Amino acid sequence: QSGSDSSDKSKTITVVFYPNESAKSFAGSRTAIKKAVEKATGKTVKLQTTTDYNVAIQAIASGKAQVAYMGANGYIQAHHKSKDVVPFAAQSDAKGTLKDATYNSYLMVQQKDAKKYEENGKYSIKNVKGKKMSYVSNSSTSGFLVPTAEISREFNIKTSDQDKLTQSGQFFSKVLYGGSHQGSAVNLIKGDADVAAFDDADLMPYLKVTKGSWDKVGSTFTVKDNADAPFTSLTGKSVVNIAMMPVQQGPWVYNTKALSKDDQKKIATEFTSKSFAQNKQIFSEPNAKTPMMFPKKSDKSKLVKVTDKWYAPTHKLVGY
Amino acid sequence: MTPERFFRQRRLRLSVVLLILIGIYVISMALVNFQAWASISKIPAGLMWLFTNFIPTSRSISYLGPILYQLWRTLLVAISSTMVASLFALVFAILGAKTTTPTPALRWGIRFGASLLRNIPVVAWAMILLFSFKQSDFTGFLALFFMTLGYLTRAFTETIEDLDAEKLQALQAVGANYFQCVFCGVLPEAASTLTSWVLYMIENNLRDATLVGLLTGTGVGFLFDYYFKAFRYDAAGLIVLLIAILVIVLELTSNRIRRAIA
Amino acid sequence: MIENSQPKPQVLHPSAPPTNRISLVTKPRKILRGVMLSLALITIYSLITLNTANLAISDALHSLGLNLNAMFLHPSIGQDTWSQLLRALLTSVSLAMLTTLLGALIAFFIALGAARNLAPSWLATSIKAVMAFIRAIPTILWVLIYSVVMGLGASAAVVGLTFHSVAYLVKAYSESIEETSADTIEALKASGVGFWPIVFQAILPSIIPALLSWTFIRFEINFANAVAVGAAAGADDIGYFLFMAGSFYFDFHEVGLIVYLLLGVAIVLELVSMRLRGHYLKQN
Amino acid sequence: MLKVIQLDKTYGSNKHSLKAVNFTAKPGEVTAIIGPSGAGKTTILRSINQLIRDDSGQILLDDTDIRQANKSELRKIRHHIGMIFQNYNLISPLTALENVLHGRLGAKSTVAGMLGLYSPAEKQEALQLLDEVGLKEYAYQRCDQLSGGQQQRVGIARALMQHPKMILCDEPIASLDPKSTTIVMDILRRLAKEKQLIILINLHQVDIAMAYTDHIVGINSGAIVFEGATKDVDDAVLQAIYRQSEQPATVTANEN
Amino acid sequence: MLKVIQLDKTYGSNKHSLKAVNFTAKPGEVTAIIGPSGAGKTTILRSINQLIRDDSGQILLDDTDIRQANKSELRKIRHHIGMIFQNYNLISPLTALENVLHGRLGAKSTVAGMLGLYSPAEKQEALQLLDEVGLKEYAYQRCDQLSGGQQQRVGIARALMQHPKMILCDEPIASLDPKSTTIVMDILRRLAKEKQLIILINLHQVDIAMAYTDHIVGINSGAIVFEGATKDVDDAVLQAIYRQSEQPATVTANEN
Ligand SMILES: Nc1ncnc2c1ncn2[C@@H]1O[C@H](COP(=O)(O)OP(=O)(O)OP(=O)(O)O)[C@@H](O)[C@H]1O
Ligand SMILES: Nc1ncnc2c1ncn2[C@@H]1O[C@H](COP(=O)(O)OP(=O)(O)OP(=O)(O)O)[C@@H](O)[C@H]1O
Ligand SMILES: [Mg+2]
Ligand SMILES: [Mg+2]
């Protein structure tokens, strides 16, 4: 196994992907990344997909994998386990900077119930207490961590009491887990939940904006007429976002103990280079049929250098 | 036929079996790229890692209340699903066992059905049940019920097939009919084995809580998942410890019960 | 106390109570009934308190019908290719075979120490307790542990899954060993045969049918486990495709197809196991 | 009256176990089947109540052919045929009393039989029978805790519990001591006379056969070599019955 | 020379199965233990090779007390004691030949024993022994396909395969026909004489005991009631051996 000896001199470099980025459709992007790393370092690269967050995080933290692409929350966890895990690149915003390098997590309600959460024309989450809540899964950043943090802030719940938000019959009358962003949305649209948490990226294929925009609180979203399973029987139903939280883009990280300084530099340079951003296998064209790993919002979209400092907001959310 | 030839044939057969097994081993090792020695040498390290990371701390003791409550709920679901499933399994097993089946066609049908239930993967169960039956205890119960039914039907069938056929013949010779043979012969003869299977399945269902956690969002399986994914390994370790204790207690009780009814 | 033509000994009648009511209920039976009754009561209690989330059965069944229809009546290959799927299926089968083979081999020897009719009872009890503990640790945790110490990949999955196999098979094997007739073992003991020859010449041949059926049941479980957690360790097996199709793309059709593939393997297995068992059980 | 006509039986394909067996057993008489080990004695008995299906022939019990009976008829017929086995074949986790009561199963409704509901009279009778075979004290003991001889006697009581027309005994006294042997053979002979039962016994002990039976069927390698009154059995006859067959038919080393 | 001195044995707590049993068996002689069913015959035999641990007493074989032997000594001693069981106790999925060869296991190294490696001479001898008990044709048949009598003879061959100093037989002829009985008893008697073996046989058939043995031990309810030369056994002695014990000791209906 490549990672069996985690010294600087390791001949192969293992790159591990989160379940999300392990998707089959990103196979092309993964291969392109492999080639890029091989070209930069001259070493053999091994790609490793996984279907379990923990496994990916432990792999990079323990140095069995040298490079990983993770979510912001996962990075914080990995960094907490081992300070050797350091971010070196993240997806930029449309302007090619880190300023708005975020995506959105929502708390949504059904359109017919939206009124109940409106006060003087402004939506708030004051009324979510005692409702039926649907999360994605307890390992999700945008479908769990960020929403619970938002609710805790609103209701002044101490960190040590946050477990209350996760189980039925405490803060919420009922807590459901959709298992995925889609599943959480289905819970809401079917009426099993009153409030649901999910993000924009995962629902874009199924929902269209019918009022407002993806970036505005109080917008209305409707299930597309040609939506695939599990939305096939739910077409035309509408939901409203009553809260929107920015989530920081996840970083590319390496384990500084397991990767030589030289290789670290070479990889960071390659990833943030122009040619990398122009690789069509990695950054999808604006209207490409099959999306690649990173969407090209504009010409300036690219990977930019990041440090642990930039993730301070997420550090704060997680609590360490 | 001389003894020499006989034993040569024996040895030949044994060697063929061994060769096949070694072949399977080598081929699958190559196919999945498994490194035997490197892996075996890492086993102690893994155990060390487990014990250093998953030791419950004083902090995790404070979670004891909710964990015990969920453990209790899970135990209830495990018991009830096993009991209901074992009723059905018993009927299917009697109808499906070679020695007691009314018609061989039924036997194949039952074996096939049981195999189906056992081999539908967790992900598929989740898809089948979750989208239709919502996330609730009942859905968890259903999933456990079906899986248990698959295993118990097979186990019961084989238990019954292993009984001494002559003893059943003694009852047939008395003129007992099918049901009487079953109730007065098969069941008493197999009772202790069947009971130990039921008790074992309860234990198994208690452990196999991942699926239930997924389907119900409650239970000790959910809690484990929650702590595990939140990297609160001490609490997850506490859960494992409690499950282990409960499983051992169950096993001891089940041994005592088996001895008492044997 | 054989009764015969000789003068009947007086003492025979009175010892038993006047037997107007003869009860057939013996103590073990009372215990069995007690156990069954309490389990039944627990079952009823938990069924009553079961949270059904106000399930509308007709809706649920309707939707179940739709899903099953999509899965099993309209399976499709989705975005994958047959060669990808079959290759992954082969990996899963290999994983299961490896873990079963390793597990069975290791478990057989440990089981000798865990069988009460062969080993001292303190040893048997402690081995069984350790095995119960190993079984209590979820499979995914074993896989995680070994991906941490060995790195991601199939090796971690194999070692992780093997742990459970061993723990399970030790229990199963040791109970089979305990069931071998004490008399046959005694017959060899009586001629001064030592432990190992008895194990291989008497016990092993007698319990082969039981071992076979346990090992095959475990193969099935290992196959299911390989599918469920193999992908977590990056073993690139059919579990990865199932996870993608199921939890990622919600492609009921492809899930259906993969389930069919898995069932195909299971049925081949079932047939092999039935034939082997039949071969060893045939007496009459 | 039991008439066995041209009974033939082959196990598997390589061995003729019964060859055109013909004999008759009368009510009120004890008939012994004697012959060397492996001659087919057990096979004959099991064919009579169709525990094994023979290949051809007729088995007439009071002029109805048992071989032609359908399933439910067979059950009724079997209820009138008690059987005592070489290996006892008791349901071991149950008590002696319950095993004896099993003799009533054939006469009970399905449900009553399933649930083991026996009338007080039946229980009393079972106890009485156990007493008769000298096992009263063991009525509530599990059968697997009894000695071989004790188990055999439970089996006899079970057969008697059926109120049978005919009793088939497969070496019923093999594990009994002489005293018990006397008792059992006495009971069987008395039953035959008093209730006009047909009693068919496989025996190894020629002396017992000579002392207790009325009619003897001698069998060797699956073929009847003698049938007649016990008093007609002389040394020549015994010689014929127990003669070594030259070559054990077509038996070959089974390679399995 | 086998000397059993003050052997006592209690099963569980409610029953005295052997009470101060004393007797002697000499090489070159066949000694029979006779007594009613449940008297404790089997218990004595199993105590002798320590298959059941007795409560107290001494068992001297050539002046070494078997009861004092440690584990490996016991194994060696046992290898010189052949045993033939009431229920045959063969390993049923194996062939007759293999079961006979098991008699050599006690003399083999662990590894050779584990793998069942037998020398050609041993195999030849096993076949020879099977021939002697009349089962040559069945050497390659699975034991569970043999009749009771056939299985019993395989058991005898297995004991002979041990080249024993002493053979313990628990009702070895219970399921044998008279012819086989004669053969087996003849073999045993011949072995006793030729090889100066100690042969101890539990028997139910008094006539066989009278015809084939030199020495008789009579037991009733766990106590020796007679020991002496066979020729000294008369009706009074038999009466005493098989007499009804007044009250079956403390046996009560066991609710277990
Ligand atoms: N299930 C079977 N399969 C094959 N052969 C069998 C089977 N049962 C019995 N036989 C053979 O049929 C023949 C007759 O067997 P059977 O049991 O009737 O003999 P038996 O006269 O009762 O002998 P014994 O006195 O030893 O009990 C024997 O040679 C035996 O090997
Ligand atoms: N394992 C046991 N537990 C309790 N009691 C037993 C056990 N084995 C035998 N006994 C009792 O001990 C007594 C002697 O039994 P044993 O088997 O030695 O008799 P036996 O003389 O060989 O009888 P048989 O001629 O019927 O074989 C019997 O009353 C029996 O019920
Ligand atoms: Mg027979
Ligand atoms: Mg005995």
Side-chain angles (χ1 to χ4, degrees):
Chain A
Q1 216 63 51
S2 58
S4 57
D5 184 12
S6 56
S7 67
D8 277 350
K9 292 148 254 144
S10 65
K11 285 216 182 64
T12 53
I13 295 175
T14 303
V15 180
V16 67
F17 293 90
Y18 244 40
N20 278 0
E21 282 72 35
S22 295
K24 289 181 292 191
S25 50
F26 296 156
S29 308
R30 288 196 296 267
T31 322
I33 288 168
K34 172 180 161 148
K35 280 197 189 120
V37 178
E38 276 174 348
K39 204 183 83 198
T41 61
K43 287 183 175 164
T44 343
V45 170
K46 199 161 178 294
L47 296 177
Q48 205 74 67
T49 56
T50 169
T51 56
D52 189 276
Y53 293 82
N54 270 49
V55 171
I57 290 165
Q58 291 291 0
I60 186 76
S62 63
K64 295 290 164 185
Q66 285 76 23
V67 179
Y69 178 47
M70 1 184 42
N73 178 31
Y75 158 66
I76 305 299
Q77 299 290 359
H79 185 73
H80 182 67
K81 296 213 162 297
S82 160
K83 293 280 173 278
D84 303 324
V85 179
V86 182
F88 65 87
Q91 198 186 329
S92 74
D93 56 16
K95 297 186 197 93
T97 67
L98 275 176
K99 197 163 158 284
D100 289 318
T102 57
Y103 62 105
N104 292 320
S105 161
Y106 306 113
L107 285 172
M108 293 257 194
V109 299
Q110 290 208 32
Q111 190 182 34
K112 62 179 164 59
D113 297 330
K115 284 262 165 345
K116 294 181 199 154
Y117 303 90
E118 204 177 347
E119 240 173 57
N120 329 323
K122 279 189 77 180
Y123 288 99
S124 86
I125 56 171
K126 283 211 177 68
N127 288 332
V128 299
K129 188 169 184 176
K131 293 284 186 311
K132 289 182 281 183
M133 176 71 198
S134 171
Y135 297 113
V136 174
S137 85
N138 49 31
S139 57
S140 166
T141 307
S142 53
F144 180 76
L145 180 75
V146 173
T148 45
E150 175 72 7
I151 295 165
S152 303
R153 193 186 50 72
E154 176 74 31
F155 290 92
N156 270 325
I157 298 171
K158 279 183 286 173
T159 326
S160 57
D161 286 342
Q162 276 185 11
D163 281 356
K164 284 204 174 107
L165 296 176
T166 65
Q167 280 172 48
S168 300
Q170 298 191 9
F171 183 86
F172 294 111
S173 64
K174 187 151 181 59
V175 175
L176 300 175
Y177 292 85
S180 61
H181 291 267
Q182 292 93 323
S184 182
V186 168
N187 277 342
L188 173 68
I189 300 172
K190 274 192 168 172
D192 296 338
D194 302 317
V195 187
F198 48 87
D199 71 6
D200 53 3
D202 286 295
L203 268 300
M204 277 177 188
Y206 307 98
L207 300 180
K208 59 173 188 262
V209 184
T210 43
K211 196 182 133 229
S213 82
W214 285 102
D215 296 329
K216 250 183 75 187
V217 178
S219 303
T220 307
F221 305 88
T222 305
V223 178
K224 288 182 188 167
D225 291 336
N226 57 351
D228 288 333
F231 291 92
T232 34
S233 59
L234 303 171
T235 51
K237 299 263 169 70
S238 298
V239 292
V240 172
N241 65 345
I242 58 170
M244 190 186 83
M245 295 78 68
V247 184
Q248 291 185 291
Q249 294 286 9
W252 278 96
V253 302
Y254 41 55
N255 188 311
T256 50
K257 262 260 172 60
L259 195 67
S260 67
K261 277 237 154 56
D262 190 36
D263 287 339
Q264 291 171 25
K265 220 172 128 198
K266 281 179 186 158
I267 293 173
T269 316
E270 168 65 22
F271 274 46
T272 48
S273 73
K274 247 212 156 65
S275 63
F276 193 82
Q278 268 152 16
N279 190 330
K280 294 198 174 78
Q281 290 292 311
I282 299 174
F283 280 82
S284 49
E285 294 286 294
N287 293 315
K289 275 226 177 80
T290 47
M292 295 300 149
M293 198 170 282
F294 304 107
K296 193 124 188 148
K297 290 174 195 151
S298 75
D299 274 353
K300 297 199 178 105
S301 290
K302 58 181 283 215
L303 295 187
V304 287
K305 270 213 160 65
V306 283
T307 58
D308 184 51
K309 256 208 197 98
W310 188 69
Y311 283 101
T314 309
H315 270 295
K316 216 173 129 219
L317 270 183
V318 178
Y320 44 75
Chain B
M1 172 71 75
T2 64
E4 290 307 327
R5 233 185 91 204
F6 170 77
F7 278 94
R8 207 159 30 211
Q9 280 181 4
R10 263 279 140 110
R11 271 198 298 269
L12 195 72
R13 271 238 312 256
L14 197 67
S15 325
V16 169
V17 170
L18 276 181
L19 269 181
I20 291 176
L21 288 180
I22 292 174
I24 288 177
Y25 177 76
V26 171
I27 292 174
S28 19
M29 216 166 83
L31 273 175
V32 304
N33 188 18
F34 172 66
Q35 272 116 9
W37 290 117
S39 308
I40 288 168
S41 62
K42 291 284 168 53
I43 285 176
L47 293 177
M48 282 297 296
W49 193 83
L50 173 72
F51 286 119
T52 45
N53 281 275
F54 279 76
I55 290 296
T57 62
S58 53
R59 184 172 68 113
S60 38
I61 306 298
S62 63
Y63 311 136
L64 204 57
I67 293 178
L68 285 179
Y69 175 73
Q70 295 296 357
L71 200 58
W72 165 243
R73 293 294 313 169
T74 309
L75 184 63
L76 283 187
V77 177
I79 290 179
S80 53
S81 58
T82 309
M83 288 306 285
V84 180
S86 59
L87 272 186
F88 284 88
L90 191 57
V91 175
F92 288 143
I94 289 169
L95 295 177
K98 204 173 182 176
T99 34
T100 53
T101 186
T103 64
L106 200 59
R107 180 166 171 245
W108 286 98
I110 286 173
R111 277 206 88 115
F112 180 77
S115 169
L116 207 77
L117 289 179
R118 287 198 306 276
N119 288 293
I120 291 182
V122 176
V123 174
W125 274 124
M127 279 186 88
I128 294 171
L129 294 174
L130 203 50
F131 283 109
S132 310
F133 288 89
K134 307 185 186 179
Q135 200 169 35
S136 72
D137 288 354
F138 179 68
T139 313
F141 170 85
L142 270 188
L144 278 186
F145 168 76
F146 284 124
M147 290 171 74
T148 312
L149 185 60
Y151 279 104
L152 282 185
T153 302
R154 174 176 177 152
F156 285 7
T157 307
E158 292 189 348
T159 307
I160 291 174
E161 281 174 358
D162 285 345
L163 294 184
D164 185 356
E166 283 229 328
K167 294 193 171 182
L168 304 183
Q169 284 186 352
L171 287 189
Q172 275 174 23
V174 159
N177 68 16
Y178 179 74
F179 292 102
Q180 292 169 337
C181 282
V182 166
F183 273 75
C184 297
V186 175
L187 291 190
E189 196 73 33
S192 99
T193 319
L194 298 189
T195 312
S196 69
W197 265 105
V198 169
L199 295 171
Y200 175 67
M201 263 340 261
I202 291 177
E203 177 201 316
N204 197 57
N205 282 347
L206 183 67
R207 268 186 288 110
D208 255 13
T210 11
L211 176 62
V212 184
L214 190 71
L215 292 177
T216 61
T218 61
V220 78
F222 167 79
L223 266 192
F224 174 80
D225 202 42
Y226 172 58
Y227 291 134
F228 181 62
K229 287 183 173 162
F231 292 92
R232 282 145 77 171
Y233 286 164
D234 57 330
L238 182 64
I239 291 176
V240 168
L241 195 65
L242 288 175
I243 292 180
I245 290 172
L246 191 58
V247 163
I248 291 171
V249 168
L250 270 182
E251 187 159 334
L252 290 180
T253 326
S254 107
N255 280 344
R256 287 196 64 159
I257 291 174
R258 271 162 54 193
R259 230 170 292 148
I261 63 175
Chain C
M1 17 87 256
I2 297 156
E3 252 185 286
N4 59 7
S5 43
Q6 288 176 349
K8 207 175 192 181
Q10 259 252 242
V11 267
L12 260 180
H13 318 267
S15 58
T19 46
N20 288 331
R21 280 204 48 211
I22 304 168
S23 170
L24 295 178
V25 185
T26 54
K27 200 172 154 205
R29 208 134 330 143
K30 275 185 202 151
I31 296 174
L32 182 63
R33 282 185 195 175
V35 170
M36 285 301 155
L37 189 72
S38 30
L39 287 179
L41 284 179
I42 294 176
T43 305
I44 291 168
Y45 167 76
S46 63
L47 285 183
I48 289 173
T49 58
L50 209 60
N51 175 352
T52 61
N54 305 321
L55 188 70
I57 282 289
S58 62
D59 286 357
L61 290 181
H62 176 70
S63 130
L64 181 68
L66 285 181
N67 291 347
L68 289 181
N69 176 45
M71 272 168 92
F72 292 117
L73 298 183
H74 303 283
S76 88
I77 185 87
Q79 319 160 13
D80 301 305
T81 62
W82 277 104
S83 71
Q84 268 180 317
L85 282 187
L86 291 178
R87 164 70 225 216
L89 186 67
L90 196 62
T91 307
S92 290
V93 172
S94 303
L95 266 181
M97 289 211 268
L98 258 186
T99 52
T100 311
L101 223 53
L102 286 174
L105 190 69
I106 300 168
F108 180 75
F109 288 97
I110 300 182
L112 296 175
R116 258 166 236 289
N117 53 350
L118 296 181
S121 106
W122 63 265
L123 182 65
T125 310
S126 15
I127 292 184
K128 281 182 174 167
V130 170
M131 292 301 140
F133 186 77
I134 292 179
R135 288 201 307 273
I137 298 176
T139 329
I140 179 70
L141 192 45
W142 284 115
V143 171
L144 172 84
I145 293 166
Y146 284 99
S147 14
V148 171
V149 294
M150 297 173 19
L152 284 166
S155 292
V158 171
V159 176
L161 291 172
T162 302
F163 260 85
H164 255 225
S165 299
V166 169
Y168 178 97
L169 288 177
V170 164
K171 182 185 162 86
Y173 287 178
S174 65
E175 280 172 8
S176 305
I177 293 173
E178 282 165 10
E179 274 163 25
T180 42
S181 145
D183 291 341
T184 42
I185 297 177
E186 258 184 5
L188 289 192
K189 244 195 206 158
S191 63
V193 181
F195 179 79
W196 289 108
I198 288 188
V199 166
F200 281 89
Q201 292 296 314
I203 294 175
L204 193 59
S206 313
I207 62 171
I208 279 183
L211 292 195
L212 274 180
S213 85
W214 279 114
T215 312
F216 273 92
I217 257 197
R218 187 62 217 185
F219 188 107
E220 234 172 45
I221 299 176
N222 279 348
F223 187 52
N225 278 348
V227 171
V229 302
D236 284 330
D237 65 342
I238 193 86
Y240 169 75
F241 292 91
L242 189 63
F243 177 83
M244 285 302 153
S247 308
F248 219 81
Y249 296 114
F250 296 98
D251 186 342
F252 280 84
H253 309 292
E254 189 177 350
V255 169
L257 183 88
I258 295 176
V259 170
Y260 274 127
L261 286 179
L262 298 179
L263 289 180
V265 172
I267 282 166
V268 169
L269 222 87
E270 182 95 5
L271 290 179
V272 172
S273 109
M274 267 171 99
R275 292 220 36 179
L276 279 179
R277 233 175 95 78
H279 179 75
Y280 280 98
L281 274 184
K282 68 153 188 225
Q283 285 143 342
N284 299 317
Chain D
M1 175 83 89
L2 173 78
K3 265 199 193 124
V4 173
I5 301 166
Q6 291 293 110
L7 193 63
D8 254 298
K9 168 72 193 165
T10 311
Y11 281 112
S13 60
N14 57 352
K15 183 132 176 219
H16 228 67
S17 282
L18 294 182
K19 297 171 215 152
V21 165
N22 288 292
F23 70 91
T24 310
K26 292 202 205 77
E29 286 190 359
V30 177
T31 304
I33 303 179
I34 61 177
S37 181
K41 302 183 296 298
T42 301
T43 310
I44 291 182
L45 284 204
R46 289 157 143 311
S47 290
I48 288 176
N49 64 359
Q50 293 286 290
L51 280 182
I52 48 180
R53 298 307 181 117
D54 39 283
D55 289 333
S56 64
Q58 274 185 299
I59 298 164
L60 304 179
L61 179 61
D62 296 343
D63 296 325
T64 47
D65 188 350
I66 299 180
R67 291 192 58 252
Q68 305 299 325
N70 66 24
K71 248 182 164 172
S72 81
E73 287 163 3
L74 186 58
R75 279 225 296 127
K76 284 214 192 77
I77 295 173
R78 278 181 179 164
H79 178 56
H80 294 297
I81 308 180
M83 185 151 189
I84 296 165
F85 295 82
Q86 197 167 359
N87 311 319
Y88 334 134
N89 290 348
L90 305 176
I91 306 299
S92 35
L94 299 184
T95 59
L97 185 61
E98 280 166 300
N99 271 289
V100 175
L101 282 167
H102 281 167
R104 296 304 306 154
L105 283 180
K108 288 200 134 6
S109 75
T110 305
V111 174
M114 269 166 57
L115 302 179
L117 303 174
Y118 303 101
S119 71
E122 284 170 334
K123 292 178 194 166
Q124 201 58 56
E125 187 189 346
L127 218 53
Q128 174 66 31
L129 283 171
L130 278 172
D131 198 5
E132 270 180 44
V133 296
L135 289 176
K136 192 174 184 172
E137 307 298 325
Y138 295 87
Y140 298 100
Q141 193 130 348
R142 284 173 57 126
C143 279
D144 46 11
Q145 286 172 353
L146 299 178
S147 80
Q150 290 164 338
Q151 287 194 48
Q152 188 57 286
R153 284 181 275 161
V154 174
I156 293 169
R158 174 170 68 184
L160 295 180
M161 193 75 199
Q162 286 176 246
H163 305 304
K165 264 195 218 169
M166 170 159 79
I167 298 185
L168 308 174
C169 315
D170 195 353
E171 300 179 27
I173 53 168
S175 349
L176 299 191
D177 61 282
K179 190 133 205 167
S180 315
T181 302
T182 313
I183 296 167
V184 168
M185 293 305 295
D186 275 337
I187 295 177
L188 292 176
R189 191 163 53 176
R190 182 163 50 78
L191 286 167
K193 295 276 154 352
E194 278 175 14
K195 312 205 170 164
Q196 287 293 304
L197 303 187
I198 305 167
I199 296 197
L200 207 58
I201 312 189
N202 281 356
L203 280 177
H204 275 319
Q205 291 100 319
V206 177
D207 50 341
I208 301 282
M210 301 302 282
Y212 286 93
T213 67
D214 309 292
H215 192 76
I216 287 206
V217 176
I219 181 170
N220 185 309
S221 304
I224 302 284
V225 293
F226 173 82
E227 184 186 359
T230 304
K231 62 180 162 32
D232 296 340
V233 175
D234 55 24
D235 266 7
V237 170
L238 288 178
Q239 205 65 39
I241 295 174
Y242 288 108
R243 84 160 185 283
Q244 183 75 50
S245 57
E246 309 83 64
Q247 166 74 4
T250 45
V251 187
T252 52
N254 181 331
E255 299 217 350
N256 224 353
Chain E
M1 173 84 90
L2 172 78
K3 263 198 194 129
V4 173
I5 301 168
Q6 290 294 106
L7 192 64
D8 254 297
K9 168 74 193 165
T10 311
Y11 280 114
S13 60
N14 57 352
K15 183 134 173 218
H16 229 69
S17 282
L18 295 182
K19 297 170 215 155
V21 165
N22 288 292
F23 69 92
T24 311
K26 293 201 203 79
E29 285 190 358
V30 177
T31 304
I33 304 180
I34 61 175
S37 179
K41 303 183 294 299
T42 301
T43 309
I44 290 181
L45 284 204
R46 292 157 76 76
S47 291
I48 287 176
N49 62 1
Q50 293 287 291
L51 280 181
I52 46 179
R53 297 309 180 118
D54 39 282
D55 289 334
S56 65
Q58 275 184 300
I59 299 165
L60 305 178
L61 179 61
D62 296 342
D63 296 324
T64 46
D65 190 349
I66 299 179
R67 293 189 58 250
Q68 307 298 327
N70 67 24
K71 250 182 159 173
S72 81
E73 286 163 3
L74 187 58
R75 282 224 293 123
K76 284 215 193 77
I77 295 174
R78 279 180 178 164
H79 179 57
H80 295 298
I81 308 180
M83 186 155 190
I84 296 165
F85 295 82
Q86 198 167 359
N87 312 317
Y88 333 135
N89 294 351
L90 306 175
I91 311 299
S92 38
L94 300 183
T95 59
L97 184 64
E98 283 167 297
N99 269 289
V100 174
L101 282 167
H102 280 170
R104 296 303 310 155
L105 284 180
K108 290 200 147 340
S109 76
T110 305
V111 173
M114 263 166 66
L115 302 179
L117 302 175
Y118 304 102
S119 71
E122 284 169 335
K123 292 173 195 166
Q124 209 52 56
E125 184 187 352
L127 213 55
Q128 172 67 27
L129 282 171
L130 277 172
D131 198 7
E132 271 180 46
V133 295
L135 288 177
K136 190 173 188 178
E137 306 298 323
Y138 294 87
Y140 304 102
Q141 193 131 349
R142 279 171 66 127
C143 278
D144 46 12
Q145 286 173 353
L146 299 178
S147 79
Q150 291 164 338
Q151 287 194 47
Q152 189 56 287
R153 284 181 276 162
V154 174
I156 293 170
R158 174 171 65 184
L160 294 180
M161 193 75 201
Q162 286 176 243
H163 307 303
K165 264 194 217 168
M166 170 160 79
I167 298 186
L168 308 173
C169 315
D170 195 355
E171 299 180 26
I173 54 168
S175 349
L176 299 192
D177 61 280
K179 187 132 204 167
S180 316
T181 300
T182 313
I183 295 171
V184 168
M185 291 305 296
D186 275 337
I187 295 177
L188 291 177
R189 191 164 52 177
R190 181 167 50 79
L191 285 168
K193 296 273 155 352
E194 279 176 13
K195 312 205 172 166
Q196 287 293 304
L197 301 187
I198 305 168
I199 295 197
L200 207 58
I201 311 188
N202 281 355
L203 280 178
H204 274 318
Q205 292 101 315
V206 176
D207 51 340
I208 301 284
M210 300 303 281
Y212 285 94
T213 68
D214 309 291
H215 192 75
I216 287 207
V217 177
I219 182 171
N220 184 310
S221 305
I224 301 285
V225 292
F226 173 83
E227 184 185 0
T230 305
K231 62 181 161 38
D232 295 338
V233 174
D234 56 22
D235 265 9
V237 169
L238 289 178
Q239 203 66 38
I241 295 174
Y242 288 107
R243 88 165 179 280
Q244 180 76 52
S245 59
E246 308 84 62
Q247 163 73 4
T250 45
V251 187
T252 52
N254 184 334
E255 298 221 346
N256 220 359

